[in-house]
Amino acid sequence: MSSSTVEAFYEGQGIPVELTEVEQALDQLWGPAAEKAGGPELESPAVTRVVLANVVIVHFGSNRPEMEATIEAITTQYPSRMIVLRHDPGAGRKLLTEVSAQCHLPAPGRPQVCSEQIILRTNVEGRDLLPGAVRSLVESDLHSVLWWCDDPREAPDLFEQLSGEATRIILDLPDPETDPASLAAAIEPGGRQSARDLVWFGLTAWRSLIADQFDSPATGNLARIASVRVRSIGKETNRPHRAAAWLIAWLAGQLGWKPEGSPRFKGKGRVEAAFRGPEDSVDVIIESEPGESISRAQIAEVEIRLRPEAQTATTLRIQCDGQGTCEICVIDAAGQGCAFPRLVKVPVPETTHSVSAALLTDRSDPPYHRALPITLWLLGC
C-alpha cells in the first residue's frame, strides 16, 4: 500500500477493496506500527488497535446528522469492528466494499486507540448478499451487536437474518418521525429479548431525577400519585414522542399500574390515557411541542400530582432546559406557587451517553421489559 493510501486510511477515508481481500488489506493498511490489544507488545506503537465486539450498523436511508455522532461514540466508548451497510443505487447486484480506521486519542502522550470500519454498499437487488458477507467479516470469538437505523419492515428478511445472529439489537429509529408500528414490528415477533429502543437509554437521567424526589417526605409516597403529565420537544408533533411514552411506561411498570381502555389521541402529539394503580386510578397526559433544532425528542417537563392528605404538597414539577439545569418545584395544596424550589445539575442529553449505555448495560433489564408493552400501548400499537 502506498503511504498516501495508508495516511488516508488512518484519517478515516474509505479505501476501496474487494470483499474477499478485506482481511489482507486491513493487515497491510494497519502496518507494523499498529499494536493489537491482546497481541505482542511493540516498543513504540503509533496506534493501539482495539476490537471489543462486532457492531453491524444498517442504515439504508438518507444521511442523518446524528449518525456521525453515533459512530464517533461507538469508536470512543466501545471500539469495535464496525460493519456498516449502506444503500447505493448504482451498485446493482454487487457489494462495493471500503475500509477505514476510526481513531481517538485516549490521553496526551498515549498512542491513538483505533478500530476498523468496513462499509458495504449495494442496491435493493443485492441485499440478499449482505448476510453472507457480514458472516465472513465478523470476528468469530466476539459477540455481535446489530445497530438498526431504518424501518425493519422495509427489509424484513435482512432484519430477520441479522437479528438472529446478534447478541444485542439496538433500534436507532428517529423520534418522533418513525411510525411506532416499526418499533413493534422489530420487537414483537418471537419476543426478541435482546432488542432495545435507543430512546430508552436517553432517559436514564430523568428516571433517576424522578426517583430521587420520592425520597423526600415533602412529596409523600408513590401510592398517592393521581396524575402524570409529560411534556417533550421534538422535530414533529404529528405523533406522540417515544421519549415521553417510555418515561410514563417506566413509571407505570415500576409501580404496577395497569392500562385501562385505550389511549385517546387528541392530535398534535397529545395523548390522554388512564391506568389502574394498586390503590386508585392514575391519569396521564403526553404533550408534544415542536423544536426544529432538536435531532432527537427530549423531555422538557414532568408534572406529578399527588392526592391530598395531611401534607401540604400536592404537585411535583420538574422542568429541564436541555442544557444541564433542572428546576424542581413542590407546589402546595393551594397552588400558590413553589414551596420548595431548587436547581439541580443533570447530564446534558448527548448521543455519547445513550450509545454508551446501550452497549454496556446488562442485557437483563426488567424495568425495560415491564415498560415495553405499556410504551407500545401508549403509542397506539
Side-chain angles (χ1 to χ4, degrees), residues 156-173:
D157 293 340
L158 180 63
F159 181 77
E160 188 68 27
Q161 291 190 60
L162 294 181
S163 63
E165 298 175 7
T167 55
R168 179 169 297 198
I169 306 166
I170 305 300
L171 302 168
D172 188 357
L173 310 176

Side-chain angles (χ1 to χ4, degrees), residues 308-309 311-315 331-337:
E309 286 187 348
Q311 297 96 326
T312 58
T314 59
T315 302
I331 302 172
D332 60 28
Q336 296 301 313

Side-chain angles (χ1 to χ4, degrees), residues 15-67:
I15 307 300
V17 298
E18 292 295 326
L19 177 62
T20 56
E21 299 175 358
V22 166
E23 301 298 345
Q24 179 183 354
L26 284 172
D27 286 342
Q28 294 176 352
L29 288 164
W30 284 119
E35 176 183 65
K36 187 171 183 178
E41 293 187 6
L42 301 181
E43 186 172 336
S44 55
V47 301
T48 299
R49 181 183 174 192
V50 179
V51 181
L52 300 178
N54 303 291
V55 178
V56 181
I57 302 176
V58 181
H59 182 34
F60 294 130
S62 57
N63 287 327
R64 286 158 43 192
E66 62 267 27
M67 283 309 301

